Amino acid sequence: MENSIKNSSAPHVGIIGGGIAGSTTALHLSEQGFNVTLIERGNGLVSGPPICHLHAGGNLYREISQQQCLDLLRQSIDTVRLYPHALNVRPTVIATPVTDKGEPEALLPRLETIQNAYSELVEQDERNSVLGDPNDYYRLFYRDELEALALSTQSKHPVTIEEWLIPFAKHTDLDKLKFPIVVVQEFGLSVFRLAASATLSLESHPQCRLLTGCSLDSADFDGRRWNLTYSDKNDSKYPLEVDYLVNACGYRSGTIDDVTRQPQKRLVEFKSAFVTRWPECEMHWPEVIFHGERGTPNGMAQLTPYPDGFSSCMG
């Protein structure tokens, strides 16, 4: 990102929420010359839950369209290009339990479409090749291959897909899976490195003002501008006028909709997430997703590995 000379006459944009969406919006708008004020209730940016795969998990959702998957692909590439130092290079394993009503092969047409779209994007601009070689975007592994890998030893710094699959092959009950399993070049993002990148960029940008530890109290539109009131961590209140207002509050978006009196239809989805530690595990795990029908007790389960034996499980 390149800093520009501050333009006091440019439109002023208020952004509520300093997660990935809010921080990225602030970066892009600042670079385009807008004056930006970012309000985040937490003490730092991008302070939400750790981030796993970029978008391979979305390809499992039967409820979303193929076009949405293609949109996710482009957004993932844009995100990595903006935050290249935040990338954790490890593949994503997609496994279908025998209890699931679907078959692994049902994913293949969608994955082939995404692979072709990724290849076209790389041909258009080689800088889009952030997910590795398009020809290797996904691979299939059968039971005999996993049984052979279970007898192998993982290197200290795994590079190949086979090396990444070794802990999965060793510790997964293969009798409970349908085959083949799918391994996709969908990497993860380090929320900590991403937060640092966004904070350093925005704090030094002359077009952007960061207000962390602050909450939006009220928002009134007078037909021309938004008149805001926000509180800091000491509960002191301040006025703020902006030309445009962006709601980037993620799952708290409905709260801001209520404050701004912009009623929206809402979808509620319940998930559970746990962080656990397996101190005896010294291997490097890939991201692992077990296919399942959403909205049922047999829904999708997701394992995200972190350093020192920690991992998060979400379903």
Side-chain angles (χ1 to χ4, degrees):
M1 309 297 287
E2 296 179 358
N3 289 345
S4 56
I5 299 174
K6 185 172 179 59
N7 181 3
S8 59
S9 63
H12 189 179
V13 181
I15 300 174
I16 313 301
I20 294 179
S23 297
T24 302
T25 301
L27 280 170
H28 282 305
L29 292 179
S30 297
E31 286 304 312
Q32 294 177 35
F34 289 90
N35 295 308
V36 174
T37 296
L38 176 59
I39 300 176
E40 164 57 38
R41 66 183 297 177
N43 293 325
L45 301 181
V46 196
S47 57
I51 302 162
C52 45
H53 53 265
L54 290 168
H55 82 278
N59 300 332
L60 294 177
Y61 298 162
R62 300 178 177 100
E63 298 86 349
I64 72 173
S65 68
Q66 182 170 285
Q67 184 57 49
Q68 286 175 304
C69 287
L70 296 176
D71 292 340
L72 283 168
L73 172 68
R74 296 184 184 92
Q75 292 164 4
S76 298
I77 291 172
D78 289 342
T79 300
V80 175
R81 288 184 59 175
L82 185 61
Y83 302 109
H85 301 298
L87 193 66
N88 284 331
V89 180
R90 61 168 182 259
T92 297
V93 175
I94 300 173
T96 305
V98 294
T99 55
D100 188 76
K101 65 181 181 181
E103 297 298 327
E105 289 83 0
L107 289 173
L108 300 186
R110 176 166 285 189
L111 289 171
E112 289 173 0
T113 299
I114 296 172
Q115 182 182 41
N116 292 334
Y118 177 42
S119 181
E120 291 176 2
L121 290 170
V122 173
E123 289 180 4
Q124 295 170 11
D125 188 341
E126 62 180 12
R127 292 175 297 178
N128 288 331
S129 60
V130 295
L131 305 179
D133 189 334
N135 294 322
D136 299 326
Y137 175 68
Y138 75 92
R139 283 181 56 185
L140 306 180
F141 284 82
Y142 292 84
R143 179 164 186 157
D144 59 340
E145 296 174 283
L146 292 178
E147 290 175 340
L149 287 173
L151 303 175
S152 304
T153 301
Q154 189 183 56
S155 64
K156 186 176 181 180
H157 300 288
V159 176
T160 67
I161 291 179
E162 288 82 0
E163 289 177 317
W164 278 103
L165 270 180
I166 290 173
F168 176 84
K170 285 181 178 291
H171 297 286
T172 304
D173 187 347
L174 301 182
D175 289 334
K176 295 184 177 180
L177 297 181
K178 296 180 181 180
F179 293 92
I181 68 163
V182 184
V183 183
V184 190
Q185 285 182 165
E186 284 301 332
F187 309 135
L189 290 173
S190 167
V191 68
F192 311 107
R193 294 199 299 270
L194 195 152
S197 298
T199 302
L200 289 171
S201 297
L202 292 174
E203 282 183 340
S204 62
H205 205 293
Q207 298 289 129
C208 186
R209 178 189 180 198
L210 287 183
L211 297 175
T212 55
C214 297
S215 300
L216 182 69
D217 297 323
S218 66
D220 297 298
F221 186 64
D222 62 9
R224 188 177 64 90
R225 306 192 78 191
W226 285 94
N227 299 291
L228 313 179
T229 302
Y230 67 91
S231 300
D232 63 13
K233 62 184 66 177
N234 298 318
D235 205 28
S236 298
K237 299 185 182 297
Y238 303 91
L240 176 67
E241 288 188 358
V242 297
D243 298 292
Y244 303 97
L245 188 62
V246 176
N247 180 356
C249 285
Y251 73 93
R252 290 193 177 96
S253 292
T255 302
I256 303 303
D257 290 336
D258 292 341
V259 172
T260 59
R261 294 182 289 281
Q262 304 290 317
Q264 303 291 333
K265 292 183 178 179
R266 298 175 185 174
L267 171 67
V268 178
E269 181 177 42
F270 293 94
K271 293 185 177 181
S272 61
F274 307 89
V275 176
T276 186
R277 187 166 186 247
W278 182 10
E280 295 81 8
C281 180
E282 298 180 353
M283 290 184 288
H284 297 280
W285 275 74
E287 180 85 17
V288 181
I289 298 171
F290 292 98
H291 202 166
E293 185 178 359
R294 298 180 75 182
T296 74
N298 296 318
M300 184 188 77
Q302 173 183 315
L303 171 69
T304 302
Y306 301 107
D308 300 325
F310 285 94
S311 63
S312 68
C313 303
M314 183 174 71

